[in-house]
Amino acid sequence: MTTDSGKAGSSAWRWIALGAFGIGLFVAWRLLPVKDWLQGFQAWVSDLGVFGGVLYGVVYVLAALLFVPGSLLTLGAGLAFGLLWGTVIVSAASTVAATLAFLIARYSARDRVAGLAGRYPKFGAIDRAIAEGGWRVVGLLRLSPVVPFSVSNYLYGLTSVRVGSYVLASWAGMLPATVLYVALGAAGRTVGSAENKSPLEWILLAAGILATVAVTIFLARVARGQLRKSQVGRPVAADPAQRLPDIRTGG
């Protein structure tokens, strides 16, 4: 079983990696013609108009269904569309992707997804927790994910949660992290378009990003504490395909 210190260490490394990514972006900005690339990308998206946002959302959905990590695409939405529309596009696309994967697992590819569940020892505890807490546990898991986003979308289709409750809880639970990553991307957009920003404007920009990070971390910690009470982290049974009920038939 994973210890609390191990979980804390894993969480710390995720934030260190995010910080390193930010530093990498800054270094790239100084050494590469990132500004020209960014302006070209923004011009291309602007020329597409509404279709640009729709196309970006479709690519996001397909990437999530194919197990491609969505963090870079979420950052890119902030770069391309800004905070407001970037958040709208990613929030809608991630919710659609989560719903489609859920339905595929529940109605089309249950046996294959059950085999995938065997690779994640925590799934047994997740299944038990959702059976007891329903959509509330789904929301907590979205705030503090213990399984990668693209994988978890399929795994939730094996649980007893109802489709409507799952969609709403997923949307709400994913929103804080979506805002954070889109805000980081939008900050890059701001840097690229700001030639004469005052020190106060830079301070306000940095303060806004730090506040978003702080809120996201706080919500994730609260969710993690609640998940511990549900004993998420216990090992799964050896054969999830045999253990899990078939939600389609109620068996």
Side-chain angles (χ1 to χ4, degrees):
M1 182 182 296
T2 304
T3 62
D4 290 346
S5 60
K7 293 177 182 178
S10 176
S11 179
W13 276 112
R14 283 198 294 269
W15 290 109
I16 290 172
L18 181 59
F21 181 78
I23 294 172
L25 286 178
F26 176 78
V27 172
W29 180 267
R30 301 294 296 181
L31 300 179
L32 299 172
V34 177
K35 180 179 177 180
D36 294 336
W37 297 344
L38 177 58
Q39 289 176 340
F41 180 60
Q42 290 175 345
W44 178 73
V45 170
S46 298
D47 290 341
L48 291 175
V50 176
F51 179 71
V54 174
L55 178 61
Y56 201 95
V58 170
V59 171
Y60 195 107
V61 170
L62 293 176
L65 291 176
L66 295 173
F67 303 100
V68 177
S71 54
L72 287 180
L73 283 172
T74 305
L75 288 165
L79 282 168
F81 304 102
L83 178 59
L84 176 59
W85 286 110
T87 299
V88 170
I89 291 168
V90 172
S91 183
S94 60
T95 303
V96 169
T99 303
L100 289 177
F102 178 93
L103 294 175
I104 289 171
R106 178 160 291 187
Y107 298 109
S108 299
R110 181 177 178 82
D111 292 340
R112 289 189 178 184
V113 177
L116 178 65
R119 302 179 188 177
Y120 293 90
K122 293 180 180 179
F123 179 69
I126 291 173
D127 182 45
R128 288 189 292 270
I130 290 177
E132 296 177 2
W135 62 269
R136 297 175 184 83
V137 175
V138 173
L140 292 172
L141 287 165
R142 291 302 192 185
L143 285 170
S144 183
V146 297
V147 177
F149 168 71
S150 296
V151 176
S152 67
N153 294 336
Y154 288 98
L155 297 185
Y156 291 139
L158 303 179
T159 69
S160 59
V161 65
R162 294 183 178 180
V163 177
S165 300
Y166 163 80
V167 172
L168 184 59
S170 293
W171 169 77
M174 292 187 295
L175 190 58
T178 296
V179 172
L180 171 60
Y181 279 90
V182 173
L184 291 173
R189 175 190 177 104
T190 302
V191 170
S193 61
E195 295 289 344
N196 300 309
K197 272 190 175 294
S198 68
L200 178 59
E201 288 176 309
W202 286 113
I203 291 173
L204 291 175
L205 175 62
I209 293 175
L210 290 175
T212 305
V213 171
V215 170
T216 305
I217 293 174
F218 172 76
L219 291 174
R221 288 183 175 178
V222 171
R224 195 176 303 119
Q226 292 297 316
L227 289 171
R228 286 198 192 100
K229 296 179 181 179
S230 299
Q231 296 183 323
V232 171
R234 291 166 57 188
V236 70
D239 187 358
Q242 295 178 1
R243 182 184 59 80
L244 295 169
D246 192 336
I247 307 302
R248 298 165 296 180
T249 61

